[in-house]
Amino acid sequence: MNSSLVQSGVALAQATALLMSVAFITYVLIIVATLRRYKASPPGEPRSLGWHLFVPALNEEQVIGDTIDFLRAVFPEAHLWVIDDASDDHTAAIVGYRAQFDPMVHAVSRRFPEARVGKGAALNAAYRALNEWLPSGVDRRRTIIGVIDADGRPAPNCLSVCAGETLFGDPEVGSVQILVRMMNRNDRRPFPHRGRLVNALGQILVRMQDLEFRVPISAIQITRRLTRTVGLGGNGQFSRLSALDVVADETGAPWRGALLEDYELGLHLLMTGHRNEYTRDTYVDQEGLPDIRRLIRQRTRWGQGTMQCGTYLPRLWSSPYVSKLGALEATYYLMQPWLQIVGTIVYPIPAAVFIANYVTGPAAISGWLINGGGWMLLFFYLTAGIGPFVLWGPIYWLRCERDIGIVRAIGLGIGFSLFVLIFYVTSWRAFFRIIQHREDWFKTRRNAEFLSDTEFDGEIAPALQVMSAMIGDN
């Protein structure tokens, strides 16, 4: 191979890596600055709005009963629409048992072949069921739909915060996304029957996810408030029914077929003239995943969904409702999986060149490092590579978990710089799924599914009795 061609390729890779690093550092500095300026907003009166919570459930017998009981106790004014997506465990029995005795609990049953084709399809089924149930003349602008995971635990102030004057108190706001936390972030034994090392690694992995959602993702969402491109998440998203109606009129249904159906809905809301908002004044707790295999599977689905949503970029740039700055922000986000693929190619090249040169001429490289200013370039690459991620550890300590201490916070930041390497793996997995035309939807298994089923016998027995009686009556 021509040596000049090789040198040109190496130089191009180094320049690309440098450009990507500078762009990323700039982006991190911007979102950190907006996070620092965030101020809480006053809550509103939740009774001024009508609340309906959609809870998708596929094989959720270990958690769905407790979730329904929690939501009914904490939010007695909210109707619950629990969608059983053709579960082959006892989910339907548990949901039907509660719906039989509580008029605020509504069971939405899905059957094959329509079932199990994605979370978005399940949510659309609840949307249709709600439309059939609602009386004519209801004010759909004051009817709010929330999406809560089957293991979700919203904060008690969730509805009052969402009803605040800067959120659904503002008629221009079509949707609100709230902060997400990991409920098991302090669990020292995520694997009760495993050894100390496995449990320590599992706890660290859950803590990384808590840090990720509460600091960098939260900072990104706060910055998106400025560009008016706030994204919706799969848990803790709230939308006006009237806004969902507009999207449904244009596309046939509020939720579409991307594997990242939540962010896709947010894009449709933006392109139909609605404003998405974000708040960290309240939260929803969910389970963090303590094992790497399920985490990679989950993040592969998210990465593939992000790639799928890239098809909306032309419409975003031409939309009269999306500013050019907003389109630029959305473009940067939607390009992330592709940039991570490029990064796996270009980032190692400068390190490989350095090692190769050191092996062939250690004295020359040592002199360059000490006297030629090479140490400055090396310092920059190290800072650009891990600095932006380590930074989130102390911020997590300052804004979220003051009891962990600064030393542990720095350690978490270093750990987070390793945690993000997962995305380079999942981006490649998502890419290969796309070129193989694999768009099947798969659910992330709950932590409780790895525990003994015997603790659920007392929950399932009465539910089965009621369901049997209902079947017998028919």
Side-chain angles (χ1 to χ4, degrees):
M1 184 179 293
N2 190 301
S3 60
S4 61
L5 185 61
V6 172
Q7 292 176 351
S8 298
V10 170
L12 178 61
Q14 290 176 321
T16 302
L18 180 63
L19 180 63
M20 291 173 61
S21 298
V22 171
F24 180 67
I25 292 174
T26 303
Y27 181 69
V28 169
L29 292 176
I30 291 172
I31 64 176
V32 168
T34 56
L35 176 63
R36 288 189 58 191
R37 291 197 296 266
Y38 179 85
K39 293 182 180 180
S41 300
E45 175 50 66
R47 288 176 295 183
S48 65
L49 301 166
W51 300 91
H52 296 265
L53 304 181
F54 289 0
V55 185
L58 170 59
N59 294 333
E60 300 283 9
E61 67 177 10
Q62 287 89 353
V63 298
I64 194 60
D66 289 341
T67 297
I68 294 174
D69 294 342
F70 173 87
L71 294 174
R72 288 294 297 120
V74 178
F75 310 110
E77 67 272 46
H79 285 266
L80 304 186
W81 298 79
V82 187
I83 310 109
D84 169 43
D85 203 18
S87 300
D88 47 28
D89 64 358
H90 297 98
T91 296
I94 296 171
V95 176
Y97 177 65
R98 282 163 171 77
Q100 178 77 1
F101 298 104
D102 188 344
M104 300 292 283
V105 178
H106 310 267
V108 180
S109 298
R110 288 173 54 73
R111 296 291 179 263
F112 292 111
E114 291 81 11
R116 298 197 189 185
V117 293
K119 183 178 177 182
L123 294 172
N124 286 330
Y127 170 77
R128 291 190 295 269
L130 173 61
N131 282 335
E132 294 175 0
W133 178 86
L134 280 174
S136 59
V138 68
D139 189 349
R140 300 173 76 88
R141 295 170 301 177
R142 306 194 69 79
T143 302
I144 309 301
I145 309 301
V147 177
I148 306 297
D149 280 356
D151 64 339
R153 296 292 184 272
N157 70 339
C158 177
L159 302 189
S160 60
V161 168
C162 289
E165 61 182 15
T166 62
L167 301 177
F168 286 121
D170 183 344
E172 292 186 2
V173 173
S175 64
V176 174
Q177 175 63 48
I178 67 176
L179 176 74
V180 176
R181 310 188 314 182
M182 302 301 124
M183 65 174 69
N184 54 336
R185 60 189 177 276
N186 293 314
D187 184 4
R188 293 181 177 274
R189 293 189 60 81
F191 300 103
H193 306 298
R194 303 290 296 276
R196 184 174 299 177
L197 178 60
V198 172
N199 277 282
L201 292 175
Q203 184 188 20
I204 292 172
L205 200 58
V206 171
R207 182 66 76 170
M208 292 296 98
Q209 294 163 69
D210 190 60
L211 183 155
E212 174 192 23
F213 275 87
R214 296 173 69 185
V215 189
I217 289 181
S218 184
I220 290 170
Q221 291 280 54
I222 292 170
T223 304
R224 287 173 174 168
R225 296 174 68 191
L226 303 177
T227 59
R228 294 189 171 230
T229 53
V230 167
L232 298 183
N235 196 12
Q237 61 168 281
F238 294 83
S239 301
R240 290 188 197 273
L241 183 55
S242 58
L244 297 181
D245 291 339
V246 173
V247 175
D249 289 341
E250 181 175 287
T251 65
W255 288 272
R256 305 297 294 163
L259 293 176
L260 204 65
E261 81 292 325
D262 38 30
Y263 186 81
E264 185 180 31
L265 171 63
L267 292 179
H268 281 292
L269 288 167
L270 292 174
M271 292 185 295
T272 51
H274 299 92
R275 191 171 94 238
N276 302 338
E277 270 293 348
Y278 171 80
T279 179
R280 55 180 291 123
D281 301 341
T282 188
Y283 60 84
V284 59
D285 278 331
Q286 67 182 38
E287 285 184 342
L289 301 178
D291 59 286
I292 192 69
R293 183 174 298 177
R294 279 189 294 156
L295 181 66
I296 288 178
R297 184 178 175 89
Q298 178 195 69
R299 299 309 173 90
T300 298
R301 172 163 54 87
W302 293 3
Q304 186 176 356
T306 304
M307 290 175 170
Q308 291 173 332
C309 288
T311 58
Y312 291 107
L313 283 175
R315 291 181 57 189
L316 279 170
W317 280 97
S318 62
S319 172
Y321 302 111
V322 180
S323 68
K324 299 308 178 186
L325 182 61
L328 180 63
E329 189 284 325
T331 300
Y332 184 74
Y333 172 74
L334 292 172
M335 289 297 295
Q336 283 304 302
W338 303 104
L339 291 175
Q340 286 155 358
I341 289 175
V342 173
T344 60
I345 299 172
V346 301
Y347 285 143
I349 289 178
V353 170
F354 176 82
I355 293 172
N357 288 334
Y358 185 81
V359 170
T360 56
I365 295 299
S366 298
W368 173 73
L369 284 173
I370 298 172
N371 302 316
W375 66 270
M376 297 179 62
L377 185 60
L378 183 61
F379 177 77
F380 171 80
Y381 273 110
L382 290 175
T383 301
I386 67 172
F389 303 107
V390 175
L391 177 67
W392 296 119
I395 295 176
Y396 179 68
W397 166 62
L398 286 170
R399 302 191 69 92
C400 304
E401 299 283 328
R402 290 306 299 258
D403 60 332
I404 65 174
I406 182 60
V407 174
R408 188 180 176 195
I410 294 173
L412 289 175
I414 295 172
F416 190 65
S417 68
L418 300 175
F419 174 80
V420 297
L421 296 177
I422 292 173
F423 301 131
Y424 293 97
V425 175
T426 58
S427 292
W428 276 107
R429 282 169 54 92
F431 172 69
F432 285 125
R433 283 178 57 86
I434 284 180
I435 63 177
Q436 293 169 0
H437 302 288
R438 294 177 57 192
E439 298 183 355
D440 49 305
W441 182 86
F442 44 85
K443 169 185 171 288
T444 304
R445 296 177 64 192
R446 302 293 178 200
N447 296 336
E449 295 182 44
F450 297 90
L451 303 177
S452 171
D453 292 336
T454 56
E455 60 187 287
F456 302 106
D457 289 346
E459 167 76 17
I460 293 171
L464 288 176
Q465 293 172 5
V466 170
M467 293 299 290
S468 298
M470 294 170 63
I471 294 173
D473 291 341
N474 294 331

